[in-house]
Amino acid sequence: MAALLRSARLLKFSSPFLLQVVDATVFGGPLCRLGTRTFSGRGIGGCPGRVLIGTGINRCVSGSGGVRLLTIAAQEKGASRDESSSAVRSRQAEQFDWALNKLDSSVRRTGRITKTQLLKIFHDMCRTGYPSGNQALLLLRSCGSLLPEIHLSERTELAHRIWGKLLELGAVYDASHYNALLKVYLQNEFKFSPTEFLAKMETANVQPNRVTYQRLIAAYCNEGDIDGASKILGFMKSKDLPITEAVFNSLVTGHARAGDMESAENILTVMKGAGIEAGPDTYLALLNAYAEKGDIDNIKQTLEKVEKTDASLMDRDLMQIVFSLAKSGHHQYVQEIAERMRHDRGYIPDAMNLCLSLITQGLEDTAFQLLKTFPTLQPESQNGDTPDLGNFFLRHCVNMDKPVEKLKRFCRELQEGGLHVSALPFTLYCALDAKKTATAVELMKVMKEEGLPVRTHYFWPLLAQHQKEKNSQALQ
């Protein structure tokens, strides 16, 4: 992702050049003819001082001095326009580069981006009007798991919107773009017809490759459709494409979701027979299958087995098991898996993204359970302030319109555990910032019940909002 962002930034140097080439192509014909007629011999034949000014208007200027003055004026005007246009393009390139840098930094630092950041890049790209293949790929890949704060359906709608608009602007899609769209579908759990997807690629004269077939198999297996996956496997064999570990991992999921756990477990034996060693991803697919069934005993046994092999699992892998348990309604086993995490480097951003995804999908109780397992910070920071753990959690709960009673409970437990010094006031701030009037008012009532001060300036954002909307009834 970061490499893609860096490659996209190089395009800022080519944008002005492309603009000049296209301008010449679009406007070159009429403007060239106009210029030829104005300053060539035909343009001033019959009257040395006759010059074509504008369109269809002839004026006679006595003497060659008049012609020279008009020529210089026209040249200066043209140069001024070119300089102004170049300055605008340069400024747009700088802004686009700044946005890409910010997006790149966000991905490196937190492993996620915001919808606002993505839309800014998209709108800037639309404004320039010349999307490159790499830029289109960047936007499409950003519409999946990099947006944990956005609902799955909204993420897919955003991907379709970007796909259509960039195609309209002249973007040329190849197999990598279709593969990126497939990955977004898989990450967003979007149901689609793999055969129709292949038909669209054929209509666009784009040849599917090995990655395309692998992801189509994954799509069938996610629905437990082993017959559909077998058809794609047949295509791959007919084209002499290798059957990789990723395909076997999908088959583990496919058999499990089809209700055949025995076949899912036997995939590891089949892999060994094919000379492919089961890696961490294969074991993770099996562990997720057990998690969806709520089979904690087999999860523990498999984890112990993995520990004796070279296929070690990272905290990020264990988080996927937590996610599968929570989504399948087996919340009671989450704590056992959370306790196995080693808090490796990068644990905090990955765990934060997991919490955000859980909240987005209505599993905020599990997210809060995980939040409380975060490695505690020092009791006091260097400046003497008590650290506030869970700001991101409270903000996202407010943005997702979680019930005030839950917000109250979360705030109370954070403060009682010494993890937050002013949870309720901060949550109120988030509600006011997000313009959640009803939530803000209810939180003020809770604060009053708790004996916390409700200050006058808390009401100012609400009053300003209603005044802007000219909602006089709400102001009363």
Side-chain angles (χ1 to χ4, degrees), residues 100-114:
L100 282 174
N101 276 325
K102 190 171 182 181
L103 199 67
D104 187 15
S105 174
S106 180
V107 172
R108 288 174 178 272
R109 185 169 45 86
T110 67
R112 65 180 180 276
I113 59 175
T114 65

Side-chain angles (χ1 to χ4, degrees), residues 32-333:
C32 289
R33 290 194 295 272
L34 177 60
T36 302
R37 186 178 176 190
T38 303
F39 299 110
S40 68
R42 290 181 60 190
I44 56 175
C47 177
R50 180 176 293 275
V51 181
L52 180 65
I53 305 173
T55 305
I57 302 176
N58 288 322
R59 300 281 176 87
C60 188
V61 181
S62 59
S64 59
V67 175
R68 189 162 55 252
L69 288 172
L70 287 170
T71 302
I72 292 170
Q75 289 174 343
E76 289 178 347
K77 187 176 181 180
S80 176
R81 285 178 179 173
D82 289 343
E83 290 175 4
S84 176
S85 178
S86 177
V88 169
R89 289 196 296 269
S90 177
R91 188 161 57 250
Q92 287 178 342
E94 289 177 2
Q95 292 172 348
F96 190 62
D97 185 52
W98 174 84
L100 282 174
N101 276 325
K102 190 171 182 181
L103 199 67
D104 187 15
S105 174
S106 180
V107 172
R108 288 174 178 272
R109 185 169 45 86
T110 67
R112 65 180 180 276
I113 59 175
T114 65
K115 182 181 178 182
T116 302
Q117 289 173 329
L118 180 59
L119 287 179
K120 177 173 175 51
I121 297 286
F122 176 52
H123 292 151
D124 286 348
M125 201 177 293
C126 291
R127 201 158 40 241
T128 60
Y130 305 99
S132 72
N134 278 347
Q135 290 173 338
L137 203 56
L138 162 70
L139 291 186
L140 289 171
R141 287 176 175 174
S142 300
C143 294
S145 58
L146 288 176
L147 292 170
E149 297 169 271
I150 306 299
H151 288 292
L152 301 182
S153 59
E154 188 178 351
R155 279 154 43 171
T156 305
E157 288 171 8
L158 186 57
H160 287 159
R161 176 184 167 192
I162 290 172
W163 180 279
K165 184 62 179 179
L166 296 188
L167 191 64
E168 181 185 319
L169 291 173
V172 179
Y173 294 146
D174 58 24
S176 64
H177 296 90
Y178 283 90
N179 292 341
L181 187 60
L182 276 175
K183 189 171 184 179
V184 167
Y185 285 172
L186 294 173
Q187 290 178 344
N188 296 346
E189 302 175 19
F190 178 70
K191 295 183 180 180
F192 66 100
S193 169
T195 53
E196 288 181 10
F197 193 91
L198 282 173
K200 288 179 181 178
M201 290 186 71
E202 185 178 353
T203 302
N205 199 27
V206 176
Q207 193 69 24
N209 57 23
R210 176 179 57 82
V211 176
T212 310
Y213 290 124
Q214 283 180 184
R215 291 179 181 172
L216 290 174
I217 288 173
Y220 274 123
C221 288
N222 284 346
E223 299 300 317
D225 188 350
I226 296 298
D227 291 337
S230 298
K231 291 178 183 177
I232 303 296
L233 273 172
F235 289 149
M236 293 185 71
K237 289 179 180 178
S238 67
K239 296 177 181 292
D240 293 325
L241 294 174
I243 308 301
T244 62
E245 182 185 355
V247 174
F248 286 108
N249 299 343
S250 296
L251 292 173
V252 170
T253 303
H255 284 296
R257 291 189 176 176
D260 188 358
M261 281 303 300
E262 183 179 353
S263 295
E265 293 164 345
N266 286 338
I267 291 293
L268 275 74
T269 305
V270 175
M271 289 177 66
K272 191 173 183 179
I276 299 176
E277 192 69 29
D281 291 339
T282 306
Y283 284 109
L284 182 59
L286 186 59
L287 285 163
N288 280 325
Y290 288 138
E292 290 175 4
K293 305 293 183 183
D295 189 348
I296 191 63
D297 292 333
N298 269 316
I299 290 177
K300 291 177 180 179
Q301 290 174 15
T302 305
L303 286 173
E304 290 170 3
K305 180 181 179 181
V306 172
E307 288 175 359
K308 298 176 183 177
T309 67
D310 295 332
S312 60
L313 296 177
M314 307 296 289
D315 284 345
R316 184 178 299 180
D317 301 321
L318 297 178
M319 289 178 196
Q320 289 193 39
I321 301 172
V322 168
F323 191 71
S324 296
L325 285 169
K327 283 194 65 180
S328 304
H330 306 294
H331 313 278
Q332 67 273 26
Y333 302 129

Side-chain angles (χ1 to χ4, degrees), residues 404-405 428 437-447 449:
V404 173
E405 281 302 315
L428 173 60
T437 303
T439 302
V441 171
E442 289 302 315
L443 285 170
M444 288 185 201
K445 292 178 181 178
V446 172
M447 288 176 64
E449 292 171 1

